[in-house]
Amino acid sequence: MAKFSNGCVVVALICFLALLSRTADGQLSSTFYSSTCPNLQSIVRSAMRQAVNREKRMGASILRLFFHDCFVNGCDGSILLDDTSSFTGEKTAGPNNNSVRGYDVIDTIKTNVESACPSVVSCADIVALAARDSVVLLGGPTWTVQLGRRDATTASFSTANSDLPSPASSLSQLISAFSNKGLNARDMTALSGSHTIGQARCVTFRAHIYNDTDIDSAFATQRQRNCPSASGSGDDNLAPLDLQTPVVFDNDYYKNLVVRRGLLHSDQELFNNGSQDSLVRQYSNNNAAFSSDFTAAMIKMGNISPLTGTSGEIRVNCRKVNG
């Protein structure tokens, strides 16, 4: 019996060391919270369903929040941090200021999760799960979210300004920006399909609808009605990124690109006599192909430089570091 007990101890120790090694190496797991917070995914899904029922656009906003988090020093919840005396956060960086939304939704989810599993689940993982649920709730595909991220204890205003691709980006700039994060051109084109939902501000597409030639003239005229040419006039007026089905996650975004109805300059760059034309056409004709590549790219993006093991912390309040 003593030998058996010692054997159990040895096996348990080996398993523990293997788990420790895995998390130290940055390896995420779909079962990370299976014993410490078994109801996590249903808690997140329930709150996201309420948020999307209140406002369909919120699904797109949470998906974008995840993207803007991961592209700045990895998927570490840094975008959620408010400014402090020691650092300026990412919320007021150019790509995020008056643009990224949904912080309050993440706060609500975090409060619900903390009630069930105090100090166990990271804000970074909550954002990853909420982004997946946003897509599913708007009719898109599902995927298994890898978990085990920890939260950053600082944020980077400068990196948010430098690393997030601009709506004025060229195709080569887009490919480069994604490549810098370990994502290839196919990943970039699939992830751009997230623009099948959501709205954009006039200031982000004004130059495209007035100055570019790779745009359907009737579409440009339609968008100009709500987006004056003068800078500073109507900057925050909104237009759907996908004119056809702005609150349904489908492949209409790519169908729009094929007929030169991409809202942003960077959107239309994906179909403008360049290297991604054939893939855009494939996605426009095959929603299943788009869904498959999109989910694979989302998993890949979610694995950008996660904090694991003893790095970072599990924030109790997503807006500020502990203590």
Side-chain angles (χ1 to χ4, degrees):
M1 185 68 180
K3 287 184 179 179
F4 182 75
S5 298
N6 289 339
C8 285
V9 170
V10 171
V11 170
L13 182 60
I14 290 172
C15 290
F16 172 74
L17 290 174
L19 177 62
L20 190 63
S21 172
R22 185 183 69 190
T23 53
D25 288 341
Q27 187 72 33
L28 304 179
S29 165
S30 62
T31 59
F32 190 84
Y33 299 108
S34 59
S35 61
T36 55
C37 195
N39 295 325
L40 171 63
Q41 302 216 24
S42 61
I43 294 170
V44 176
R45 176 66 62 88
S46 176
M48 277 309 306
R49 182 178 289 110
Q50 291 177 27
V52 171
N53 284 344
R54 282 194 304 269
E55 182 193 9
K56 296 289 188 186
R57 182 188 171 205
M58 188 53 71
S61 296
I62 295 295
L63 179 57
R64 185 164 181 259
L65 180 66
F66 180 54
F67 174 85
H68 281 228
D69 183 36
C70 291
F71 258 60
V72 182
N73 297 329
C75 309
D76 59 2
S78 60
I79 194 173
L80 305 172
L81 288 170
D82 290 337
D83 296 350
T84 71
S85 57
S86 59
F87 66 82
T88 300
E90 298 161 20
K91 292 180 177 179
T92 56
N96 298 333
N97 195 33
N98 296 319
S99 175
V100 171
R101 311 166 66 241
Y103 300 116
D104 54 333
V105 174
I106 300 301
D107 288 340
T108 297
I109 298 173
K110 178 62 172 174
T111 297
N112 295 346
V113 171
E114 283 295 306
S115 295
C117 322
S119 302
V120 168
V121 181
S122 68
C123 300
D125 277 344
I126 286 173
V127 173
L129 287 168
R132 188 272 311 275
D133 291 345
S134 294
V135 172
V136 174
L137 289 165
L138 293 178
T142 190
W143 61 94
T144 300
V145 177
Q146 301 299 302
L147 300 165
R149 302 169 190 81
R150 288 168 67 84
D151 296 321
T153 54
T154 189
S156 179
F157 177 85
S158 60
T159 306
N161 276 318
S162 64
D163 286 17
L164 286 162
S166 159
S169 297
S170 66
L171 179 59
S172 62
Q173 289 171 329
L174 289 170
I175 291 173
S176 177
F178 279 73
S179 177
N180 289 340
K181 305 301 175 184
L183 300 165
N184 60 35
R186 191 181 190 94
D187 297 326
M188 181 273 293
T189 300
L191 288 170
S192 296
S194 61
H195 285 179
T196 187
I197 53 176
Q199 308 267 328
R201 295 180 301 147
C202 165
V203 68
T204 65
F205 60 84
R206 176 182 284 123
H208 181 52
I209 64 173
Y210 283 102
N211 303 333
D212 289 347
T213 57
D214 59 339
I215 185 170
D216 175 74
S217 59
F219 176 68
T221 299
Q222 179 183 12
R223 291 278 66 93
Q224 288 168 6
R225 294 190 190 114
N226 195 42
C227 183
S229 60
S231 179
S233 178
D235 282 1
D236 292 331
N237 292 351
L238 297 173
L241 285 158
D242 169 10
L243 183 64
Q244 315 304 321
T245 53
V247 294
V248 178
F249 197 96
D250 55 23
N251 65 334
D252 279 0
Y253 166 79
Y254 300 101
K255 295 177 182 178
N256 293 333
L257 297 185
V258 171
V259 294
R260 312 285 177 184
R261 293 190 171 193
L263 183 62
L264 307 179
H265 175 87
S266 56
D267 287 331
Q268 199 57 59
E269 279 289 286
L270 301 183
F271 191 86
N272 191 26
N273 301 311
S275 62
Q276 301 306 293
D277 281 17
S278 61
L279 184 57
V280 167
R281 201 176 286 280
Q282 179 188 351
Y283 289 161
S284 74
N285 291 322
N286 190 335
N287 189 50
F290 160 53
S291 294
S292 177
D293 283 359
F294 177 81
T295 56
M298 284 294 289
I299 293 169
K300 197 171 173 182
M301 184 175 74
N303 205 34
I304 297 175
S305 306
L307 297 172
T308 57
T310 56
S311 299
E313 64 180 17
I314 304 299
R315 275 186 241 137
V316 175
N317 180 339
C318 291
R319 294 176 182 261
K320 61 183 183 179
V321 299
N322 296 337

